[in-house]
């Protein structure tokens, strides 16, 4: 009798632990699984990118309430077909076929306005005054207009300020997407013999990145996988216009712990190969010119939706010398499908010995290098870990494609 009671208690404890574990797993998936997915017509929703789901036979772990998606459907997911997880929206969408590039390109951007990169006090009548600060202007703000005149360079601002004779000026300022009017009263500097606003501004920037993919039909392309931000303020740079130019990579500074490396290169020609029209959280986007379109080469890949990506082996296309991309092996270590961070969807490790020898892993300039897995374009390299140059973040191709003008 005693033995039966003891066995019964053990069984109850084991059962209780199993149930607790199942509900814990359910809560985990609820937080990890996105609220919406795209699938191609006639295909099932397969959830491949989660820690407990390693293989394509997702039906063994998940029972999907509905299997055909003629339009937009609400689909119920459950664990082992028993414990409900959540309902998700599934929408039919054709995955595009794109040219995976991996070629480097030079970036020349003109800002939409000018960015305030620093403030300074002006010596005036024995006092130190910063008119810009007193007007409420901060580092990182974008100056769009002064007295209804659009400004696009430091020289234009200085001309307007110097001609003001100290009169108050109306300044239209954009701060993180919101515009407001600031009242700026310049002060006279006896030392410099002129009127000043007490702010340093930047009107353009340049750099090197990697083209992720190109739409063969339209010539539209995407690169970087993350925004171009000002080096002093860290703010995203709004662009009025930009150019993509041909680049030759001459070498690389190897990345080390605490010190990210970088590709070294030079602009081959001032002749643009395309125009840039958008700089946002998912990268830079533009369209190739006729000259640029003539040099397009590379293999076409079907794009994978986020749920098709798996933890495991993949490869990147990147150019770390010359102008021709090469294929390098990587390992996808983590997938964050439900992350609010649009550019940090995957954690990747460089495993290719040749690339590790050349660069130490991921270096600046490799951002945008396309990632291929199971014959599909799944994303692009975006960031390097400062404490481990062999590892970094990557973005889903799906996020970048949503901004491609097609």
């Amino acid at each position: 009798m005693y033995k039966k009671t003891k066995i019964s208690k053990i069984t109850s404890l084991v059962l209780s632990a199993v149930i607790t574990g199942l509900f814990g797993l359910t809560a985990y998936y609820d937080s990890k699984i996105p609220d919406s997915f795209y699938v191609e017509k006639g295909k099932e929703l397969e959830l491949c990118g989660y820690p407990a789901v390693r293989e394509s036979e997702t039906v063994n772990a998940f029972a999907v309430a509905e299997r055909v998606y003629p339009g937009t459907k609400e689909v119920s997911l459950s664990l082992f077909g028993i414990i409900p997880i959540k309902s998700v929206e599934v929408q039919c969408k054709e995955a595009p076929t794109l040219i995976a590039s991996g070629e480097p390109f030079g970036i020349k951007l003109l800002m939409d306005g000018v960015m305030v990169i620093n403030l300074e006090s002006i010596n005036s009548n024995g006092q130190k005054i910063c008119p810009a600060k007193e007007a409420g202007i901060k580092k990182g703000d974008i100056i769009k207009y002064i007295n209804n005149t659009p400004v696009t360079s430091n020289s234009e601002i200085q001309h307007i300020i110097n001609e003001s004779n100290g009169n108050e000026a109306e300044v239209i300022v954009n701060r993180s997407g919101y515009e407001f009017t600031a009242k700026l009263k310049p002060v006279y500097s006896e030392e410099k013999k002129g009127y000043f606003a007490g702010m340093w501004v930047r009107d353009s920037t340049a750099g090197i990145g990697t083209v992720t993919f190109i739409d063969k039909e339209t010539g539209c392309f995407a690169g970087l996988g993350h925004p171009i931000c000002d080096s002093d303020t860290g703010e995203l740079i709004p662009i009025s216009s930009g150019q993509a130019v041909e680049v030759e990579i001459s070498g690389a500074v190897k990345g080390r712990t605490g010190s990210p490396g970088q590709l070294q290169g030079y602009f081959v020609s001032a002749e643009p190969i395309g125009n840039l029209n958008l700089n946002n959280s998912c990268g830079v986007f533009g369209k190739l010119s006729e000259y640029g379109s003539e040099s397009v080469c590379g293999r076409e890949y079907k794009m994978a939706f986020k749920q098709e990506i798996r933890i495991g082996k993949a490869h990147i296309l990147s150019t770390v010398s010359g102008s021709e991309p090469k294929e390098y092996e990587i390992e996808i270590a983590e997938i964050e499908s439900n992350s609010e961070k649009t550019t940090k969807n995957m954690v990747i490790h460089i495993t290719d010995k040749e690339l590790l020898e050349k660069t130490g892993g991921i270096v600046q300039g490799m951002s945008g290098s396309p990632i291929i897995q199971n014959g599909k374009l799944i994303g692009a390299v975006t960031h390097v870990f400062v404490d481990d140059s062999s590892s970094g973040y990557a973005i889903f191709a799906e996020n970048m494609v949503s901004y491609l003008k097609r």
Side-chain angles (χ1 to χ4, degrees):
M1 185 73 177
Y2 174 76
K3 286 185 176 180
K4 287 184 178 180
T5 302
K6 189 175 182 179
I7 292 171
S8 178
K9 286 182 178 180
I10 293 172
T11 303
S12 296
L13 288 171
V14 171
L15 184 59
S16 176
V18 170
I19 292 172
T20 301
L22 287 173
F23 277 99
L25 189 58
T26 301
Y28 172 78
Y29 278 125
D30 183 30
S31 67
K32 285 291 184 179
I33 297 173
D35 295 326
S36 62
F37 295 92
Y38 291 114
V39 295
E40 292 198 277
K41 188 174 181 180
K43 292 190 176 181
E44 298 177 354
L45 174 64
E46 294 185 352
L47 304 174
C48 301
Y50 302 95
V53 184
R54 303 280 180 167
E55 300 179 359
S56 61
E57 291 79 19
T58 313
V59 70
N60 293 334
F62 290 95
V64 182
E66 297 191 45
R67 307 300 291 269
V68 181
Y69 319 112
T72 300
K73 288 277 188 179
E74 188 175 274
V75 175
S76 298
L77 302 179
S78 59
L79 185 63
F80 304 117
I82 301 171
I83 305 172
I85 297 175
K86 68 189 300 184
S87 292
V88 297
E89 185 182 87
V90 179
Q91 183 177 347
C92 276
K93 184 177 181 179
E94 183 181 356
T97 298
L98 302 160
I99 297 174
S101 177
E103 293 187 15
F105 72 116
I107 300 165
K108 294 181 178 180
L109 296 183
L110 286 177
M111 296 184 189
D112 183 15
V114 296
M115 178 175 284
V116 179
I117 60 171
N118 205 2
L119 300 175
E120 69 170 2
S121 295
I122 307 298
N123 290 319
S124 181
N125 293 325
Q127 293 182 319
K128 286 189 173 183
I129 304 171
C130 181
K133 185 177 181 180
E134 292 191 354
I137 295 170
K138 296 181 179 181
K139 184 178 176 179
D141 285 348
I142 304 295
I143 308 298
K144 303 290 290 293
Y145 297 88
I146 299 180
N147 290 337
N148 295 319
T149 301
V151 290
T152 59
S153 68
N154 184 39
S155 59
E156 287 179 353
I157 287 184
Q158 190 53 48
H159 176 75
I160 295 171
I161 294 299
N162 209 37
E163 293 293 314
S164 69
N165 291 319
N167 293 319
E168 187 177 78
E170 282 195 353
V171 182
I172 303 300
V173 183
N174 184 300
R175 179 179 296 163
S176 301
Y178 297 94
E179 287 194 357
F180 64 92
T181 301
K183 303 292 186 179
L184 176 69
K185 187 173 177 59
V187 295
Y188 187 80
S189 168
E190 292 85 0
E191 181 186 354
K192 298 179 180 179
K193 306 299 181 186
Y195 288 91
F196 293 88
M199 59 184 180
W200 291 90
V201 300
R202 178 174 289 135
D203 55 23
S204 62
T205 190
I208 293 175
T210 299
V211 178
T212 306
F213 53 75
I214 304 165
D215 184 332
K216 187 177 180 179
E217 294 181 6
T218 64
C220 293
F221 68 93
L224 294 189
H226 64 72
I228 297 176
C229 297
D230 183 77
S231 58
D232 290 295
T233 67
E235 295 290 326
L236 184 147
I237 296 174
I239 64 173
S240 61
S241 63
Q243 292 180 340
V245 297
E246 192 176 352
V247 161
E248 184 84 12
I249 302 299
S250 56
V253 175
K254 203 169 182 178
R256 291 178 174 82
T257 301
S259 178
Q262 64 177 1
L263 295 181
Q264 296 178 316
Y266 55 91
F267 294 178
V268 174
S269 169
E271 182 72 25
I273 58 173
N275 295 316
L276 300 173
N277 50 47
L278 180 62
N279 173 38
N280 71 7
S281 61
C282 291
V284 293
F285 302 83
K287 187 171 184 178
L288 294 174
S289 62
E290 190 173 326
Y291 166 72
S293 298
E294 290 176 357
S295 61
V296 170
C297 59
R299 179 180 166 186
E300 290 185 283
Y301 292 89
K302 192 88 166 179
M303 187 200 79
F305 292 119
K306 59 192 174 209
Q307 70 271 15
E308 300 176 63
I309 304 169
R310 305 179 186 187
I311 288 175
K313 291 183 178 181
H315 66 265
I316 64 171
L317 298 174
S318 195
T319 307
V320 296
S321 63
S323 59
E324 294 294 325
K326 287 187 64 176
E327 186 176 297
Y328 301 101
E329 290 184 358
I330 68 166
E331 185 86 10
I332 298 173
E334 296 178 31
I335 302 170
E336 290 290 340
S337 299
N338 211 20
S339 173
E340 294 180 358
K341 298 176 180 178
T342 55
T343 64
K344 297 179 179 180
N345 307 129
M346 296 175 277
V347 173
I348 62 172
H349 300 314
I350 304 296
T351 56
D352 194 283
K353 291 181 180 179
E354 181 184 351
L355 186 57
L356 289 170
E357 179 62 31
K358 286 182 176 179
T359 65
I362 301 168
V363 296
Q364 295 174 24
M366 283 173 61
S367 294
S369 297
I371 305 175
I372 311 298
Q373 186 183 63
N374 297 324
K376 288 190 174 184
L377 173 65
I378 68 169
V381 178
T382 59
H383 299 79
V384 59
F385 293 165
V386 176
D387 60 349
D388 179 11
S389 61
S390 69
S391 303
Y393 287 114
I395 185 176
F396 294 144
E398 178 180 329
N399 290 353
M400 295 180 72
V401 164
S402 63
Y403 292 100
L404 189 70
K405 292 182 179 180
R406 306 187 75 225

